[in-house]
Amino acid sequence: MDRLLALESVLNTIADPDDPALSRFIRAQPAAGLAGQLTEIVRAWRTEASGTAGSGLALALATSRALPRPASPQVVVSGPASASLPGRLTSGVAVEVVRSAKTSLLVASFAAHGALDVVDEIGRAVVRGVQVDLLLEESTHASVAFAMLPKEVRVWHRASASGVMHAKLLAADRHTALLGSANLTDRALSDNIELGVVLRDLATVAPLVDHFRWLLSPESGLVRAGGAA
């Protein structure tokens, strides 16, 4: 950040990319590779926007710096945790993701058994008006784990016997998604050695949710309604 502010300061004092002050600033950069990157930026300025004053580029940098940054991915684990990878436990994060849903919740799992904390939280989501869709593998009888949920919950299965529904996903609205190896079972959420990641970046999560919504749509022809949970 300090280097970016320093670059903005220099740009505010120069009129064009050939100003010696900019060359001196670039040569003084100690970070490996930074001088080369800045040289490429200057080259692009010279060839593509030579009529733009340095103050214009400084304003563009300041604007970009002020934009909100997407949250970093968060690692989650099941089983033993270590100091090398201090991730949060999958069971707690799964409940947290469900709790964050305001309008829709998309759940995909190959197998499901127990996981009462997650199932109970899904039930509370339904009560507060969240539309819940469960995309489950039929051959594992995963839907049984959700049998006590309200009838408003929609269950989906693959329409074809070719292949299985093997994805594991919890997606709250279009803003948060938990992806990983863990099924919605007690062992997978707590005891097995499993690994996952939570995404909280709209630009990444929204297309992922759109893909699964397309899978559930009649036009895909890939899934069929399995009835209420």
Side-chain angles (χ1 to χ4, degrees):
M1 182 62 73
D2 289 343
R3 292 192 184 97
L4 186 58
L5 291 173
L7 176 58
E8 289 175 22
S9 178
V10 172
L11 290 172
N12 273 316
T13 67
I14 64 178
D16 59 65
D18 296 312
D19 192 296
L22 183 56
S23 297
R24 289 194 296 272
F25 175 81
I26 292 174
R27 289 197 299 271
Q29 297 309 304
L34 181 56
Q37 294 173 349
L38 291 174
T39 299
E40 284 301 306
I41 291 174
V42 172
R43 182 193 62 77
W45 181 12
R46 184 181 298 113
T47 58
E48 300 178 22
S50 58
T52 302
S55 59
L57 293 184
L59 178 60
L61 284 175
T63 301
S64 175
R65 182 164 46 81
L67 293 175
R69 303 297 182 188
S72 299
Q74 174 189 17
V75 173
V76 297
V77 298
S78 298
S82 70
S84 301
L85 188 62
R88 295 183 59 197
L89 290 178
T90 308
S91 53
V93 174
V95 168
E96 182 182 279
V97 171
V98 174
R99 190 173 295 159
S100 71
K102 298 296 189 293
T103 60
S104 65
L105 179 68
L106 181 62
V107 179
S109 191
F110 172 74
H113 182 269
L116 293 182
D117 287 348
V118 177
V119 175
D120 288 346
E121 198 62 47
I122 292 174
R124 284 188 279 271
V126 176
V127 170
R128 66 175 183 267
V130 176
Q131 177 59 62
V132 177
D133 289 283
L134 307 177
L135 178 55
L136 305 171
E137 171 57 31
E138 190 170 20
S139 67
T140 64
H141 307 290
S143 61
V144 174
F146 306 96
M148 299 304 294
L149 289 176
K151 58 180 175 50
E152 292 87 350
V153 173
R154 299 183 297 200
V155 177
W156 306 88
H157 300 305
R158 279 184 59 95
S160 170
S162 175
V164 296
M165 208 308 298
H166 204 252
K168 292 90 175 180
L169 167 71
L170 281 171
D173 304 328
R174 293 161 60 82
H175 56 70
T176 304
L178 168 60
L179 314 175
S181 60
N183 288 299
L184 288 178
T185 68
D186 291 331
R187 292 184 63 183
L189 293 177
S190 301
D191 300 327
N192 293 352
I193 295 178
E194 309 274 2
L195 183 63
V197 63
V198 180
L199 305 175
R200 292 187 176 90
D201 174 18
L202 181 65
T204 303
V205 175
L208 174 65
V209 172
D210 289 344
H211 171 70
F212 275 84
R213 291 294 176 196
W214 172 77
L215 290 176
L216 301 184
S217 69
E219 67 179 287
S220 79
L222 296 173
V223 301
R224 58 178 174 79

